[in-house]
Amino acid sequence: MKAWQLTGFGRENLVLNDVPQPEPGPGEALVRIASVSLNYRDKLLYDGSYNPHLEFPMTQVADAVGEIVALGPDTHRFRVGDRVITNYCTRWIDGQPTSKESLYTLGNTIPGALAEYLVLTEEALVKTPTYLTDDEAASLPCAALTAWFALVEKGGLTADQTVLIQGTGGVSLFGLQIAAATGATVIATSSSDEKLERARQLGAHDTINYAKTPEWEKEVLAATAKEGVDQVLEVVGGSNLTRSLKALSVGGQISIIGVIDGFDATIPLFTAIQKHAVLRGISVGPRRALEDMLRRFDQWQLHPVIDSVHSFAEARKAFDRLEHGGFGKIVIRVRSA
Ligand SMILES: NC(=O)c1ccc[n+]([C@@H]2O[C@H](COP(=O)([O-])OP(=O)(O)OC[C@H]3O[C@@H](n4cnc5c(N)ncnc54)[C@H](OP(=O)(O)O)[C@@H]3O)[C@@H](O)[C@H]2O)c1
């Protein structure tokens, strides 16, 4: 079968290889991949900053949808023909994860899904809601669950809250859609006025161009009568965290999610103290939360925002797009028919 593998650090080392088709062992399913979606994490992987100890060659990409075509012995969750999506943390089922449960992620420590077939423990698979296309379903596992787990499960999102989302990538737009569907007020930032207009169409109440207004936290405070926001999805990191803290309400929560602007941050502690701020690291979520989220998305009929769809043969173009920063999710259609 064909698989896009990383043969060394650097995007130029993504290679389409012929590899043996895997066979399902005990407790495993063989999935014929239909579509996958990219995450910023895939860029961190080939840049070498996500896992400096990555073993090569490694088939890339974590988020996928496909059809189960064979089951190994001792399987009980699915039947051949079921349409499934992958859970990002493949061994985290529920509760607080052990450090080991966080480690088994596709394309990182185990082979990824940018291939014609994938073998995975059935415990890491979840049935796909029927209302979603393959491209939409492939968009969900990492970005949507991260936003859901942060805002809803850890953040206790309610309609009277105000939520700040940063930029218009995968996690942030799911955050926008989840908050808007809950009835919360959303403030969105972006480097592009055109993207901000699209964010307004998705339900953002206030928008700020952070490229034109680097001190965007002042506009957030102005938009909230100086009260600040109840929740922030911090996808940027670095010095951006201080601005998020300044934009926070008393008792507000910052979900620390991303590292686009840096892996380290220094924050004004007195501001954190005065605001009774809660800063919480988020690492996607367990399978149980993914199942909860999918049920709610089905009720809402929430459709992921897809930036672009690329062919398997031209997967490199999808990674080029990832470098550029899409509006929502970047998808690769693995199975053409
Ligand atoms: N902890 C977790 O569980 C978890 C899970 C998923 C992702 N992440 C992390 O979260 C981050 C986002 O991931 P993603 O997959 O959603 O990314 P993505 O889809 O590639 O989106 C990137 C977007 O970030 C925005 N951006 C860049 N610099 C910015 C800045 N200074 N201020 C505000 N926005 C900025 C841009 O939006 P505009 O073009 O609109 O400016 C860009 O399109 C990454 O660091 C990723 O590693 C963590």
Side-chain angles (χ1 to χ4, degrees):
M1 70 168 188
K2 299 275 185 200
W4 281 94
Q5 296 190 309
L6 200 59
T7 56
F9 288 125
R11 193 154 52 107
E12 67 282 6
N13 292 315
L14 267 170
V15 181
L16 186 58
N17 280 337
D18 284 304
V19 301
Q21 185 175 311
E23 292 193 6
E28 293 179 332
L30 177 67
V31 181
R32 185 181 178 204
I33 302 296
S35 295
V36 304
S37 80
L38 302 188
N39 292 291
Y40 193 86
R41 164 264 199 193
D42 301 317
K43 169 179 156 52
L44 296 176
L45 264 169
Y46 60 65
D47 283 348
S49 45
Y50 191 89
N51 176 7
H53 308 293
L54 193 71
E55 289 178 14
F56 303 113
M58 179 62 76
T59 303
Q60 287 302 284
V61 181
D63 289 357
V65 62
E67 180 189 340
I68 293 187
V69 290
L71 288 162
D74 305 326
T75 48
H76 60 278
R77 283 172 54 77
F78 301 105
R79 292 185 178 168
V80 168
D82 280 351
R83 197 165 156 254
V84 289
I85 61 172
T86 53
N87 187 33
Y88 181 81
C89 298
T90 58
R91 294 196 181 182
W92 186 13
I93 307 299
D94 200 2
Q96 195 72 10
T98 65
S99 53
K100 280 191 178 162
E101 279 167 346
S102 304
L103 290 177
Y104 292 87
T105 64
L106 292 158
N108 175 25
T109 47
I110 56 175
L114 189 48
E116 289 172 296
Y117 293 89
L118 170 75
V119 157
L120 196 57
T121 165
E122 64 166 1
E123 297 295 343
L125 297 168
V126 168
K127 266 201 185 165
T128 308
T130 51
Y131 80 96
L132 294 169
T133 65
D134 284 338
D135 295 340
E136 290 173 331
S139 302
L140 295 173
C142 178
L145 182 56
T146 301
W148 169 271
F149 199 58
L151 287 176
V152 178
E153 183 145 341
K154 294 294 183 185
L157 181 67
T158 53
D160 59 357
Q161 290 187 351
T162 301
V163 172
L164 172 71
I165 63 130
Q166 303 173 339
T168 56
V171 174
S172 297
L173 286 193
F174 278 118
L176 193 170
Q177 289 181 291
I178 290 165
T182 306
T185 302
V186 181
I187 302 177
T189 71
S190 175
S191 56
S192 152
D193 288 340
E194 185 255 325
K195 288 181 177 181
L196 287 175
E197 175 52 38
R198 293 171 73 188
R200 271 192 289 276
Q201 287 165 16
L202 285 171
H205 299 77
D206 287 288
T207 55
I208 305 164
N209 186 319
Y210 66 81
K212 291 180 183 168
T213 312
E215 294 183 325
W216 51 262
E217 73 279 9
K218 291 182 179 169
E219 290 213 13
V220 172
L221 290 171
T224 55
K226 296 191 180 162
E227 287 297 319
V229 296
D230 301 293
Q231 293 204 51
V232 178
L233 291 185
E234 177 64 62
V235 297
V236 180
S239 59
N240 198 68
L241 181 57
T242 291
R243 298 193 188 284
S244 297
L245 199 50
K246 289 179 179 169
L248 199 66
S249 67
V250 173
Q253 310 176 51
I254 301 177
S255 292
I256 300 179
I257 293 170
V259 292
I260 292 173
D261 203 31
F263 284 79
D264 299 303
T266 303
I267 58 165
L269 291 178
F270 205 54
T271 308
I273 291 165
Q274 283 177 319
K275 295 205 174 201
H276 301 239
V278 175
L279 277 69
R280 183 186 291 114
I282 293 288
S283 182
V284 197
R287 190 188 78 203
R288 192 263 318 137
L290 178 62
E291 289 165 335
D292 290 348
M293 181 194 83
L294 292 178
R295 272 191 294 276
R296 189 69 66 84
F297 278 18
D298 202 346
Q299 285 164 5
W300 284 335
Q301 291 288 292
L302 190 150
H303 289 274
V305 178
I306 294 179
D307 172 81
S308 49
V309 180
H310 306 263
S311 71
F312 186 63
E314 295 194 313
R316 281 178 192 287
K317 288 190 177 167
F319 288 93
D320 291 347
R321 185 68 187 154
L322 183 66
E323 288 283 328
H324 184 265
F327 185 86
K329 296 297 294 182
I330 299 161
V331 170
I332 299 171
R333 205 169 283 165
V334 177
R335 196 177 62 204
S336 47

